[in-house]
Amino acid sequence: MAALGITVALLVWVATLMLISIWKQIYNSWKLPPGPFPLPIIGNLLQLDLKNVPKSLTKLAERYGPVFTVYLGSQRTVVLHGYKAVKEVLLDYKNDFSGRGEIFAFEAHKDRGITFNNGPSWKDTRRLSLSILRDYGMGKRANEERIQREVPLLLGALRGTQGQPFDPTFLLGYAPCNVISDILFRKRFDYTDQTGLRIQKLFNENFYLLSTTWLQFYNIFPNYLRYLPGNHRKVIKNVYEIKGYTSARVKEHQESLDPNCPRDFTDRLLLKMQKEKYSAEPWCTLDNIAATVADLFFAGTETTSTTLRYGLLILMKYPEIEEKLHEEIDRVIGPSRIPAIKDRLEMPYMDAVVHEIQRFIDLLPSNLPHEATRDTVFRGYVIPKGTVVIPTLDSLLFDNQEFPDPEKFNPEHFLNESGKFKYSDYFKAFSADILVQDSHLKEALHS
Ligand code: HEM
Ligand SMILES: *[C@@H]1O[C@H](CO)[C@@H](O)[C@H](O)[C@H]1NC(C)=O
Protein backbone atom coordinates (compact mmCIF):
# COMPACT_ATOMS: atom_id res chain seq x y z
CA MET A 1 0.00 0.00 0.00
CA ALA A 2 2.71 2.44 1.04
CA ALA A 3 4.59 1.78 -2.19
CA LEU A 4 1.46 2.44 -4.24
CA GLY A 5 0.85 5.65 -2.33
CA ILE A 6 4.35 6.86 -3.05
CA THR A 7 4.04 5.95 -6.72
CA VAL A 8 0.77 7.85 -7.05
CA ALA A 9 2.22 10.83 -5.24
CA LEU A 10 5.23 10.79 -7.54
CA LEU A 11 3.05 10.57 -10.63
CA VAL A 12 0.91 13.48 -9.46
CA TRP A 13 4.04 15.46 -8.76
CA VAL A 14 5.54 14.75 -12.18
CA ALA A 15 2.22 15.52 -13.90
CA THR A 16 1.97 18.82 -12.04
CA LEU A 17 5.50 19.79 -12.99
CA MET A 18 4.78 18.97 -16.62
CA LEU A 19 1.57 20.99 -16.59
CA ILE A 20 3.31 23.99 -15.07
CA SER A 21 6.08 23.72 -17.60
CA ILE A 22 3.68 23.46 -20.55
CA TRP A 23 1.58 26.29 -19.25
CA LYS A 24 4.64 28.47 -18.84
CA GLN A 25 5.68 27.82 -22.40
CA ILE A 26 2.23 28.64 -23.76
CA TYR A 27 2.07 31.74 -21.61
CA ASN A 28 5.47 32.91 -22.78
CA SER A 29 4.82 32.13 -26.39
CA TRP A 30 1.56 33.78 -27.16
CA LYS A 31 3.10 36.54 -29.26
CA LEU A 32 5.84 34.40 -30.76
CA PRO A 33 5.89 33.29 -34.39
CA PRO A 34 3.93 30.06 -35.00
CA GLY A 35 5.51 26.67 -34.63
CA PRO A 36 5.02 23.10 -33.45
CA PHE A 37 3.84 22.56 -29.88
CA PRO A 38 6.82 22.00 -27.55
CA LEU A 39 7.01 19.29 -24.92
CA PRO A 40 8.63 19.96 -21.55
CA ILE A 41 12.41 19.39 -21.46
CA ILE A 42 12.75 18.04 -24.99
CA GLY A 43 10.92 20.90 -26.72
CA ASN A 44 10.43 20.07 -30.41
CA LEU A 45 13.11 17.41 -30.69
CA LEU A 46 10.52 14.96 -32.02
CA GLN A 47 9.97 17.26 -35.02
CA LEU A 48 13.70 17.55 -35.75
CA ASP A 49 16.08 15.09 -37.33
CA LEU A 50 19.37 15.79 -35.58
CA LYS A 51 21.18 14.02 -38.42
CA ASN A 52 19.99 16.77 -40.74
CA VAL A 53 18.76 19.82 -38.89
CA PRO A 54 18.81 22.16 -41.94
CA LYS A 55 16.45 19.84 -43.79
CA SER A 56 14.13 19.61 -40.79
CA LEU A 57 13.99 23.40 -40.65
CA THR A 58 13.08 23.56 -44.35
CA LYS A 59 10.23 21.11 -43.72
CA LEU A 60 8.97 23.16 -40.79
CA ALA A 61 9.09 26.29 -42.98
CA GLU A 62 6.83 24.57 -45.52
CA ARG A 63 4.31 24.06 -42.75
CA TYR A 64 4.66 27.22 -40.63
CA GLY A 65 5.97 29.81 -43.08
CA PRO A 66 9.14 31.93 -43.31
CA VAL A 67 9.23 32.93 -39.63
CA PHE A 68 8.61 30.23 -37.06
CA THR A 69 9.46 29.13 -33.54
CA VAL A 70 11.01 25.82 -32.47
CA TYR A 71 12.26 24.73 -29.09
CA LEU A 72 15.64 23.01 -29.07
CA GLY A 73 15.20 21.41 -25.68
CA SER A 74 14.06 24.37 -23.63
CA GLN A 75 15.88 26.91 -25.83
CA ARG A 76 13.37 29.12 -27.62
CA THR A 77 14.54 29.52 -31.21
CA VAL A 78 13.13 31.63 -34.02
CA VAL A 79 14.02 30.49 -37.54
CA LEU A 80 14.03 32.68 -40.64
CA HIS A 81 13.59 30.96 -43.96
CA GLY A 82 13.85 32.54 -47.40
CA TYR A 83 15.28 35.72 -48.87
CA LYS A 84 12.91 38.34 -47.49
CA ALA A 85 12.88 37.22 -43.86
CA VAL A 86 16.61 36.44 -43.70
CA LYS A 87 17.61 39.70 -45.32
CA GLU A 88 15.31 41.67 -43.04
CA VAL A 89 16.95 40.10 -39.98
CA LEU A 90 20.52 40.50 -41.21
CA LEU A 91 20.16 44.08 -42.43
CA ASP A 92 17.19 45.91 -40.95
CA TYR A 93 17.37 44.23 -37.54
CA LYS A 94 21.08 43.75 -37.31
CA ASN A 95 21.35 45.49 -33.95
CA ASP A 96 18.51 43.55 -32.37
CA PHE A 97 19.63 40.12 -33.54
CA SER A 98 23.40 40.45 -33.62
CA GLY A 99 24.08 38.51 -30.41
CA ARG A 100 25.54 35.04 -30.69
CA GLY A 101 23.65 31.91 -29.69
CA GLU A 102 25.75 29.84 -27.34
CA ILE A 103 27.80 26.95 -28.72
CA PHE A 104 28.63 24.99 -25.60
CA ALA A 105 31.55 22.98 -26.94
CA PHE A 106 33.47 26.27 -27.01
CA GLU A 107 33.49 26.58 -23.25
CA ALA A 108 37.19 27.49 -23.45
CA HIS A 109 36.01 30.71 -25.15
CA LYS A 110 33.21 31.42 -22.69
CA ASP A 111 32.62 35.20 -22.67
CA ARG A 112 35.76 35.67 -24.77
CA GLY A 113 36.68 36.27 -28.39
CA ILE A 114 34.44 37.08 -31.36
CA THR A 115 32.85 34.13 -33.07
CA PHE A 116 31.58 32.17 -30.07
CA ASN A 117 31.34 34.94 -27.51
CA ASN A 118 27.87 35.14 -26.03
CA GLY A 119 28.87 37.18 -22.97
CA PRO A 120 29.03 40.92 -22.21
CA SER A 121 32.34 41.56 -23.98
CA TRP A 122 31.36 40.38 -27.47
CA LYS A 123 30.46 43.80 -28.80
CA ASP A 124 33.64 45.59 -27.76
CA THR A 125 35.89 42.71 -28.72
CA ARG A 126 34.29 42.45 -32.14
CA ARG A 127 34.41 46.19 -32.72
CA LEU A 128 38.08 46.48 -31.76
CA SER A 129 39.08 43.47 -33.86
CA LEU A 130 37.16 44.71 -36.87
CA SER A 131 38.71 48.16 -36.69
CA ILE A 132 42.19 46.62 -36.62
CA LEU A 133 41.44 44.34 -39.54
CA ARG A 134 40.00 47.23 -41.51
CA ASP A 135 43.06 49.40 -40.94
CA TYR A 136 45.38 46.60 -41.74
CA GLY A 137 45.06 43.48 -43.75
CA MET A 138 41.60 42.79 -44.95
CA GLY A 139 40.54 43.97 -48.35
CA LYS A 140 43.65 45.95 -49.02
CA ARG A 141 46.63 45.47 -51.25
CA ALA A 142 48.58 44.01 -48.35
CA ASN A 143 46.28 41.05 -48.36
CA GLU A 144 46.57 40.51 -52.08
CA GLU A 145 50.35 40.52 -51.73
CA ARG A 146 50.14 38.08 -48.85
CA ILE A 147 48.21 35.66 -51.00
CA GLN A 148 50.50 36.19 -53.97
CA ARG A 149 53.51 35.35 -51.79
CA GLU A 150 51.88 32.11 -50.68
CA VAL A 151 50.76 30.88 -54.10
CA PRO A 152 54.19 29.81 -55.46
CA LEU A 153 54.86 27.93 -52.22
CA LEU A 154 51.58 26.02 -52.55
CA LEU A 155 52.37 25.27 -56.17
CA GLY A 156 55.81 24.03 -55.16
CA ALA A 157 54.29 21.68 -52.61
CA LEU A 158 51.82 20.40 -55.21
CA ARG A 159 54.66 19.80 -57.70
CA GLY A 160 56.48 17.94 -54.94
CA THR A 161 53.84 15.20 -55.10
CA GLN A 162 55.19 14.34 -58.59
CA GLY A 163 51.89 13.32 -60.09
CA GLN A 164 51.30 10.64 -57.47
CA PRO A 165 47.92 10.34 -55.72
CA PHE A 166 47.77 12.20 -52.39
CA ASP A 167 45.22 13.50 -49.92
CA PRO A 168 44.98 17.25 -50.62
CA THR A 169 43.19 18.14 -47.38
CA PHE A 170 46.07 19.57 -45.37
CA LEU A 171 48.38 20.40 -48.23
CA LEU A 172 45.75 22.80 -49.62
CA GLY A 173 44.95 23.94 -46.10
CA TYR A 174 48.45 25.25 -45.40
CA ALA A 175 47.81 28.10 -47.84
CA PRO A 176 44.83 29.79 -46.11
CA CYS A 177 46.32 28.80 -42.75
CA ASN A 178 49.51 30.69 -43.63
CA VAL A 179 47.71 33.75 -44.97
CA ILE A 180 45.65 34.09 -41.79
CA SER A 181 48.60 33.21 -39.58
CA ASP A 182 50.65 35.95 -41.27
CA ILE A 183 47.93 38.50 -40.47
CA LEU A 184 47.63 37.31 -36.87
CA PHE A 185 51.21 36.44 -35.86
CA ARG A 186 53.39 37.28 -38.84
CA LYS A 187 54.23 33.64 -38.99
CA ARG A 188 53.95 30.94 -41.62
CA PHE A 189 54.36 27.17 -41.66
CA ASP A 190 56.29 25.14 -44.19
CA TYR A 191 54.16 22.60 -46.01
CA THR A 192 55.65 19.83 -43.87
CA ASP A 193 55.55 21.69 -40.56
CA GLN A 194 54.12 19.46 -37.82
CA THR A 195 52.65 22.29 -35.74
CA GLY A 196 50.88 23.67 -38.80
CA LEU A 197 49.59 20.18 -39.50
CA ARG A 198 48.44 19.65 -35.92
CA ILE A 199 46.52 22.94 -35.89
CA GLN A 200 44.82 22.09 -39.15
CA LYS A 201 43.88 18.65 -37.86
CA LEU A 202 42.30 20.19 -34.78
CA PHE A 203 40.34 22.70 -36.92
CA ASN A 204 39.30 20.01 -39.37
CA GLU A 205 38.20 17.52 -36.73
CA ASN A 206 36.20 20.15 -34.84
CA PHE A 207 34.47 21.41 -37.96
CA TYR A 208 33.46 17.86 -38.79
CA LEU A 209 32.42 16.87 -35.26
CA LEU A 210 30.38 20.04 -34.72
CA SER A 211 28.06 18.97 -37.53
CA THR A 212 27.44 15.48 -36.11
CA THR A 213 24.22 14.44 -34.40
CA TRP A 214 25.92 13.98 -31.06
CA LEU A 215 27.29 17.51 -30.95
CA GLN A 216 23.88 18.95 -31.91
CA PHE A 217 22.49 16.93 -29.05
CA TYR A 218 25.23 18.11 -26.73
CA ASN A 219 24.51 21.73 -27.60
CA ILE A 220 20.88 21.22 -26.54
CA PHE A 221 21.58 19.36 -23.30
CA PRO A 222 25.08 20.44 -22.24
CA ASN A 223 24.37 20.16 -18.53
CA TYR A 224 23.07 16.61 -18.73
CA LEU A 225 25.77 15.32 -21.06
CA ARG A 226 28.81 17.25 -19.90
CA TYR A 227 30.35 14.41 -17.89
CA LEU A 228 29.34 11.52 -20.12
CA PRO A 229 31.89 10.11 -22.54
CA GLY A 230 31.45 11.18 -26.16
CA ASN A 231 32.84 13.34 -28.92
CA HIS A 232 31.82 16.59 -27.22
CA ARG A 233 34.80 15.99 -24.92
CA LYS A 234 37.06 15.70 -27.92
CA VAL A 235 35.82 19.01 -29.36
CA ILE A 236 36.18 20.72 -25.99
CA LYS A 237 39.70 19.35 -25.62
CA ASN A 238 40.64 20.43 -29.14
CA VAL A 239 39.37 23.96 -28.50
CA TYR A 240 41.53 24.13 -25.36
CA GLU A 241 44.54 22.91 -27.30
CA ILE A 242 44.04 25.54 -30.03
CA LYS A 243 43.66 28.24 -27.41
CA GLY A 244 46.78 26.95 -25.69
CA TYR A 245 48.64 27.53 -28.95
CA THR A 246 47.32 31.06 -29.46
CA SER A 247 47.92 31.90 -25.77
CA ALA A 248 51.58 31.03 -26.18
CA ARG A 249 51.81 33.25 -29.28
CA VAL A 250 50.09 36.14 -27.45
CA LYS A 251 52.53 35.85 -24.50
CA GLU A 252 55.53 35.84 -26.84
CA HIS A 253 54.14 38.89 -28.55
CA GLN A 254 53.62 40.71 -25.30
CA GLU A 255 57.17 40.02 -24.17
CA SER A 256 58.68 41.35 -27.39
CA LEU A 257 56.16 44.13 -28.04
CA ASP A 258 57.48 47.40 -29.45
CA PRO A 259 54.71 50.00 -29.12
CA ASN A 260 56.16 52.04 -31.98
CA CYS A 261 56.27 49.17 -34.37
CA PRO A 262 53.35 46.73 -34.17
CA ARG A 263 54.12 43.66 -36.25
CA ASP A 264 50.72 42.09 -36.76
CA PHE A 265 47.12 41.77 -35.55
CA THR A 266 48.15 40.38 -32.17
CA ASP A 267 50.48 43.33 -31.48
CA ARG A 268 47.78 45.79 -32.47
CA LEU A 269 45.19 44.19 -30.24
CA LEU A 270 47.67 44.13 -27.35
CA LEU A 271 48.37 47.83 -27.86
CA LYS A 272 44.70 48.79 -28.11
CA MET A 273 43.82 46.92 -24.97
CA GLN A 274 46.70 48.47 -23.06
CA LYS A 275 45.58 51.99 -23.90
CA GLU A 276 44.30 53.93 -20.94
CA LYS A 277 40.79 53.90 -22.28
CA TYR A 278 40.57 50.15 -22.04
CA SER A 279 43.19 48.90 -19.62
CA ALA A 280 40.74 48.94 -16.70
CA GLU A 281 38.02 47.10 -18.61
CA PRO A 282 37.45 43.58 -17.32
CA TRP A 283 37.38 42.14 -20.85
CA CYS A 284 40.81 43.47 -21.79
CA THR A 285 42.76 40.38 -20.81
CA LEU A 286 45.41 38.26 -22.48
CA ASP A 287 42.93 35.41 -22.34
CA ASN A 288 40.41 37.38 -24.37
CA ILE A 289 43.11 38.20 -26.93
CA ALA A 290 44.04 34.52 -27.15
CA ALA A 291 40.39 33.57 -27.75
CA THR A 292 39.93 36.34 -30.32
CA VAL A 293 42.98 35.28 -32.25
CA ALA A 294 41.93 31.61 -32.05
CA ASP A 295 38.48 32.56 -33.39
CA LEU A 296 39.94 34.36 -36.38
CA PHE A 297 42.40 31.54 -37.00
CA PHE A 298 39.71 28.87 -37.01
CA ALA A 299 36.97 30.89 -38.76
CA GLY A 300 39.36 32.01 -41.49
CA THR A 301 41.31 28.81 -42.06
CA GLU A 302 38.80 25.99 -41.92
CA THR A 303 36.14 27.71 -44.05
CA THR A 304 38.59 28.59 -46.81
CA SER A 305 40.39 25.25 -46.68
CA THR A 306 37.15 23.27 -46.92
CA THR A 307 35.94 25.44 -49.79
CA LEU A 308 39.17 24.86 -51.74
CA ARG A 309 38.99 21.10 -51.17
CA TYR A 310 35.37 20.82 -52.25
CA GLY A 311 36.06 23.08 -55.20
CA LEU A 312 38.75 20.69 -56.38
CA LEU A 313 36.42 17.73 -55.94
CA ILE A 314 33.68 19.42 -57.96
CA LEU A 315 36.07 20.31 -60.80
CA MET A 316 37.17 16.68 -60.92
CA LYS A 317 33.55 15.64 -61.26
CA TYR A 318 32.85 18.16 -64.07
CA PRO A 319 35.84 18.04 -66.47
CA GLU A 320 34.00 20.12 -69.08
CA ILE A 321 33.65 22.97 -66.57
CA GLU A 322 37.27 22.58 -65.54
CA GLU A 323 38.27 22.83 -69.17
CA LYS A 324 36.34 26.07 -69.76
CA LEU A 325 37.86 27.50 -66.61
CA HIS A 326 41.32 26.51 -67.74
CA GLU A 327 40.77 28.18 -71.10
CA GLU A 328 39.87 31.45 -69.39
CA ILE A 329 42.89 31.22 -67.08
CA ASP A 330 45.22 30.60 -70.03
CA ARG A 331 43.71 33.49 -71.95
CA VAL A 332 43.64 36.13 -69.18
CA ILE A 333 46.54 35.18 -66.92
CA GLY A 334 48.70 32.91 -68.99
CA PRO A 335 51.08 30.24 -67.78
CA SER A 336 53.65 32.21 -65.79
CA ARG A 337 52.11 35.20 -64.04
CA ILE A 338 50.59 35.02 -60.56
CA PRO A 339 46.88 35.93 -60.53
CA ALA A 340 45.88 39.34 -59.20
CA ILE A 341 42.59 40.64 -57.90
CA LYS A 342 42.18 42.89 -60.92
CA ASP A 343 42.06 39.80 -63.17
CA ARG A 344 38.72 38.97 -61.65
CA LEU A 345 36.90 41.56 -63.76
CA GLU A 346 38.08 39.86 -66.92
CA MET A 347 37.27 36.37 -65.67
CA PRO A 348 33.49 36.11 -65.45
CA TYR A 349 33.58 32.33 -65.77
CA MET A 350 36.02 31.95 -62.88
CA ASP A 351 33.93 34.33 -60.82
CA ALA A 352 30.81 32.31 -61.59
CA VAL A 353 32.49 28.98 -60.81
CA VAL A 354 33.78 30.22 -57.46
CA HIS A 355 30.36 31.60 -56.52
CA GLU A 356 28.68 28.40 -57.67
CA ILE A 357 31.09 26.29 -55.60
CA GLN A 358 30.27 28.32 -52.52
CA ARG A 359 26.55 28.20 -53.23
CA PHE A 360 26.54 24.50 -53.96
CA ILE A 361 28.67 23.32 -51.02
CA ASP A 362 26.45 25.31 -48.67
CA LEU A 363 29.17 25.39 -46.04
CA LEU A 364 27.06 26.71 -43.15
CA PRO A 365 23.46 25.89 -44.14
CA SER A 366 21.95 27.10 -40.87
CA ASN A 367 24.44 29.96 -40.43
CA LEU A 368 25.90 30.55 -36.99
CA PRO A 369 23.18 31.04 -34.40
CA HIS A 370 22.34 34.67 -33.63
CA GLU A 371 20.62 35.87 -30.47
CA ALA A 372 18.10 38.62 -29.72
CA THR A 373 19.92 41.29 -27.71
CA ARG A 374 16.64 42.89 -26.56
CA ASP A 375 12.89 42.32 -26.77
CA THR A 376 12.10 43.01 -30.39
CA VAL A 377 8.92 43.43 -32.39
CA PHE A 378 9.44 41.72 -35.72
CA ARG A 379 6.60 41.43 -38.26
CA GLY A 380 4.10 41.86 -35.44
CA TYR A 381 5.61 39.11 -33.31
CA VAL A 382 7.38 39.76 -30.04
CA ILE A 383 10.75 38.05 -29.88
CA PRO A 384 12.09 38.19 -26.33
CA LYS A 385 15.70 38.96 -25.44
CA GLY A 386 17.76 35.77 -25.27
CA THR A 387 15.83 34.01 -28.04
CA VAL A 388 18.17 32.21 -30.44
CA VAL A 389 17.62 33.48 -33.98
CA ILE A 390 18.61 31.41 -37.00
CA PRO A 391 18.78 33.25 -40.34
CA THR A 392 19.12 30.14 -42.53
CA LEU A 393 21.43 30.44 -45.52
CA ASP A 394 20.49 27.29 -47.43
CA SER A 395 17.03 28.77 -47.96
CA LEU A 396 18.63 31.52 -50.07
CA LEU A 397 21.38 29.50 -51.72
CA PHE A 398 18.87 26.85 -52.87
CA ASP A 399 16.03 29.19 -53.79
CA ASN A 400 14.57 27.62 -56.93
CA GLN A 401 13.40 30.88 -58.50
CA GLU A 402 16.75 32.60 -58.22
CA PHE A 403 18.80 29.48 -59.01
CA PRO A 404 16.68 27.19 -61.21
CA ASP A 405 17.41 23.52 -60.56
CA PRO A 406 19.30 24.47 -57.39
CA GLU A 407 20.48 20.93 -56.57
CA LYS A 408 22.53 20.91 -59.74
CA PHE A 409 26.06 22.34 -59.91
CA ASN A 410 25.88 24.88 -62.69
CA PRO A 411 28.04 28.02 -63.07
CA GLU A 412 25.33 29.46 -65.35
CA HIS A 413 23.55 30.33 -62.13
CA PHE A 414 25.93 33.28 -61.98
CA LEU A 415 26.20 34.16 -65.68
CA ASN A 416 23.88 36.22 -67.87
CA GLU A 417 23.00 35.49 -71.50
CA SER A 418 26.10 37.22 -72.79
CA GLY A 419 28.39 35.23 -70.51
CA LYS A 420 29.03 38.09 -68.10
CA PHE A 421 29.10 37.58 -64.34
CA LYS A 422 25.63 37.93 -62.86
CA TYR A 423 25.53 39.16 -59.29
CA SER A 424 22.87 37.63 -57.05
CA ASP A 425 21.69 39.17 -53.84
CA TYR A 426 20.67 35.65 -52.78
CA PHE A 427 24.33 34.72 -52.57
CA LYS A 428 24.68 34.95 -48.81
CA ALA A 429 27.22 32.19 -48.13
CA PHE A 430 28.96 34.64 -45.78
CA SER A 431 25.73 35.75 -44.12
CA ALA A 432 26.66 38.97 -42.34
CA ASP A 433 30.31 37.94 -42.01
CA ILE A 434 31.41 41.56 -42.05
CA LEU A 435 35.08 40.73 -42.42
CA VAL A 436 34.73 38.83 -45.64
CA GLN A 437 31.89 40.81 -47.14
CA ASP A 438 33.76 44.01 -46.59
CA SER A 439 36.84 42.75 -48.34
CA HIS A 440 34.79 41.40 -51.23
CA LEU A 441 33.17 44.74 -51.74
CA LYS A 442 36.41 46.66 -51.60
CA GLU A 443 38.14 44.29 -53.97
CA ALA A 444 35.37 44.73 -56.48
CA LEU A 445 35.44 48.51 -56.19
CA HIS A 446 39.18 49.02 -56.32
CA SER A 447 39.87 46.89 -59.34
C1 HEM B 1 34.73 30.52 -47.50
C2 HEM B 1 34.99 31.39 -46.58
C3 HEM B 1 34.07 31.81 -45.46
C4 HEM B 1 32.73 31.55 -45.26
C5 HEM B 1 31.78 30.74 -46.13
C6 HEM B 1 32.37 32.22 -44.02
C7 HEM B 1 31.11 32.20 -43.49
C8 HEM B 1 30.76 32.81 -42.30
C9 HEM B 1 29.43 32.86 -41.76
C10 HEM B 1 28.17 32.27 -42.41
C11 HEM B 1 29.49 33.51 -40.58
C12 HEM B 1 28.33 33.82 -39.62
C13 HEM B 1 27.91 35.25 -39.83
C14 HEM B 1 26.73 35.60 -39.01
O1 HEM B 1 26.76 35.39 -37.79
O2 HEM B 1 25.72 36.10 -39.57
C15 HEM B 1 30.88 33.86 -40.34
C16 HEM B 1 31.35 34.53 -39.23
C17 HEM B 1 32.67 34.85 -39.03
N1 HEM B 1 33.71 34.70 -39.92
FE1 HEM B 1 33.59 33.83 -41.73
N2 HEM B 1 33.47 32.86 -43.52
C18 HEM B 1 34.53 32.63 -44.35
C19 HEM B 1 35.82 33.09 -44.21
C20 HEM B 1 36.29 33.82 -43.15
C21 HEM B 1 37.61 34.42 -43.04
C22 HEM B 1 38.69 34.35 -44.12
C23 HEM B 1 37.67 35.04 -41.83
C24 HEM B 1 38.76 35.86 -41.19
C25 HEM B 1 39.98 35.70 -41.17
C26 HEM B 1 36.41 34.82 -41.17
C27 HEM B 1 36.10 35.24 -39.90
C28 HEM B 1 34.86 35.16 -39.33
C29 HEM B 1 34.55 35.66 -38.01
C30 HEM B 1 35.54 36.28 -37.02
C31 HEM B 1 33.17 35.46 -37.81
C32 HEM B 1 32.34 35.85 -36.59
C33 HEM B 1 31.83 37.22 -36.82
C34 HEM B 1 30.95 37.71 -35.72
O3 HEM B 1 30.66 36.98 -34.77
O4 HEM B 1 30.53 38.87 -35.83
N3 HEM B 1 35.58 34.11 -42.01
N4 HEM B 1 31.62 33.44 -41.42
C1 LIG C 1 25.13 40.97 -69.04
O1 LIG C 1 25.87 41.70 -68.05
C2 LIG C 1 26.61 42.78 -68.60
C3 LIG C 1 27.50 43.32 -67.51
O2 LIG C 1 26.79 43.51 -66.33
C4 LIG C 1 25.65 43.82 -69.18
O3 LIG C 1 26.38 44.91 -69.70
C5 LIG C 1 24.83 43.15 -70.26
O4 LIG C 1 23.84 44.05 -70.72
C6 LIG C 1 24.14 41.88 -69.74
N1 LIG C 1 23.54 41.17 -70.85
C7 LIG C 1 22.32 40.67 -70.81
C8 LIG C 1 21.84 39.99 -72.03
O5 LIG C 1 21.61 40.76 -69.82
Side-chain angles (χ1 to χ4, degrees), residues 311-330:
L312 196 63
L313 184 66
I314 288 168
L315 291 181
M316 282 167 70
K317 184 163 177 203
Y318 298 99
E320 65 290 351
I321 293 176
E322 201 260 357
E323 201 170 317
K324 272 181 93 168
L325 189 60
H326 214 134
E327 185 278 320
E328 190 182 67
I329 292 170
D330 286 342

Side-chain angles (χ1 to χ4, degrees), residues 1 110 336 376:
M1 259 331 262
K110 181 136 185 70
S336 47
T376 302

Side-chain angles (χ1 to χ4, degrees), residues 415-423:
L415 291 168
N416 75 8
E417 285 93 69
S418 28
K420 295 281 179 249
F421 180 72
K422 183 171 79 187
Y423 169 83

